[in-house]
Amino acid sequence: MLMLGVTLPALADNPGYDRPGYGFTPVVLGAGDITVEQGLPDWSRNRQDDLTSSQYSADSLLRIGIGGPLELQLGSSPWNSLQQNGSIRDNSQGHGDSILGLKLALPSSSQAFSWGLLGSVEFTDGAKAFRSAQRQYLLGAQFNLQADERNSLGLYLQDARSGGADSTTAAVSDNYAISKTLTLYAETAWLHAPDQGSGTVAGAGLAWMITPRVQFDAGFDRRLGGAAPEWQTNLGVSIYFGH
């Protein structure tokens, strides 16, 4: 559930989507508005020593505007498939953990700058192969700057705490609006996990607003070095159900 929310031109009253990439959009939904964001699925592959792991995840996110600067989020991955080859050979399927989150859009005196916070808790209710060993608490901060008419710059900072240990993420992005409906993005991120060490990834992708309420996204990230997934890809759709 790590994404750099691409900033798209405002269409209707749609404030934008948290997919794709690292981070989230720092703008919240209006009271009573709903957005569904669905992976179709996303995929990642990692290779360590003689073990190669590939995972497909149909991540689901339900966003609900609750009024003011707040937004409620409910997330899970109802379908996952994990394939391991090498020293361990296994093929597992099942649902992931449930996530409850709250987003806060923070005030800004500049129309070009927006920022927000996202806190969440991930419960250990997923299938055995896909659930966390302990409950995880996450706090993320997103900063967006509209540099000019077409370019939006993003910075995402995250800390996730589980079992007394912290995993951290820092990511930056540049989002370029080709048109009112098509945005390209490039991103790079530094990742640190206490049991694996640190690594870096970089990637790119696009977000296409096929209607003012429906967005398709596709993208990838490639490991540059250190302890990070070798490949990550995203393919998804997001639908806005607002007034």
Side-chain angles (χ1 to χ4, degrees):
M1 311 275 292
L2 311 172
M3 299 181 288
L4 247 183
V6 171
T7 302
L8 292 168
L11 297 174
D13 294 321
N14 189 346
Y17 301 107
D18 283 3
R19 291 185 64 95
Y22 286 88
F24 57 91
T25 176
V27 184
V28 300
L29 294 167
D33 291 353
I34 293 174
T35 289
V36 176
E37 305 189 16
Q38 180 64 54
L40 293 178
D42 299 326
W43 171 78
S44 64
R45 186 178 75 175
N46 198 18
R47 183 178 301 169
Q48 186 173 7
D49 299 326
D50 61 344
L51 179 63
T52 300
S53 300
S54 295
Q55 181 169 332
Y56 297 86
S57 297
D59 291 327
S60 302
L61 179 65
L62 176 66
R63 298 168 51 200
I64 305 171
I66 56 177
L70 297 174
E71 176 184 297
L72 180 67
Q73 298 196 350
L74 304 173
S76 185
S77 50
W79 177 84
N80 296 271
S81 177
L82 175 64
Q83 299 175 359
Q84 295 179 308
N85 295 290
S87 57
I88 300 175
R89 298 188 64 87
D90 187 29
N91 190 346
S92 303
Q93 294 189 7
H95 65 92
D97 292 336
S98 299
I99 299 173
L100 175 64
L102 186 67
K103 183 195 293 187
L104 171 65
L106 296 170
S108 173
S109 59
S110 170
Q111 292 185 347
F113 176 75
S114 58
W115 60 317
L117 299 175
L118 176 64
S120 69
V121 54
E122 178 177 334
F123 302 96
T124 57
D125 59 344
K128 183 178 180 180
F130 303 102
R131 66 171 174 256
S132 299
Q134 299 186 55
R135 188 172 295 183
Q136 177 177 275
Y137 300 90
L138 179 149
L139 179 62
Q142 178 73 44
F143 308 87
N144 282 2
L145 176 65
Q146 193 70 39
D148 56 40
E149 184 177 343
R150 293 185 177 272
N151 284 282
S152 175
L153 306 178
L155 169 65
Y156 177 63
L157 304 175
Q158 173 190 287
D159 181 78
R161 186 168 183 82
S162 178
D166 293 271
S167 299
T168 53
T169 299
V172 294
S173 72
D174 183 5
N175 309 307
Y176 180 77
I178 297 177
S179 67
K180 291 184 178 180
T181 59
L182 186 63
T183 296
L184 299 181
Y185 72 92
E187 64 183 8
T188 185
W190 174 82
L191 315 172
H192 175 77
D195 56 340
Q196 298 176 358
S198 302
T200 55
V201 300
L206 59 86
W208 176 32
M209 295 282 287
I210 62 172
T211 79
R213 295 178 180 271
V214 180
Q215 171 188 282
F216 280 111
D217 67 79
F220 73 94
D221 285 291
R222 179 75 165 95
R223 180 175 63 201
L224 298 180
E230 182 180 16
W231 284 101
Q232 300 176 101
T233 66
N234 61 272
L235 179 66
V237 60
S238 303
I239 305 173
Y240 168 67
F241 299 95
H243 298 98

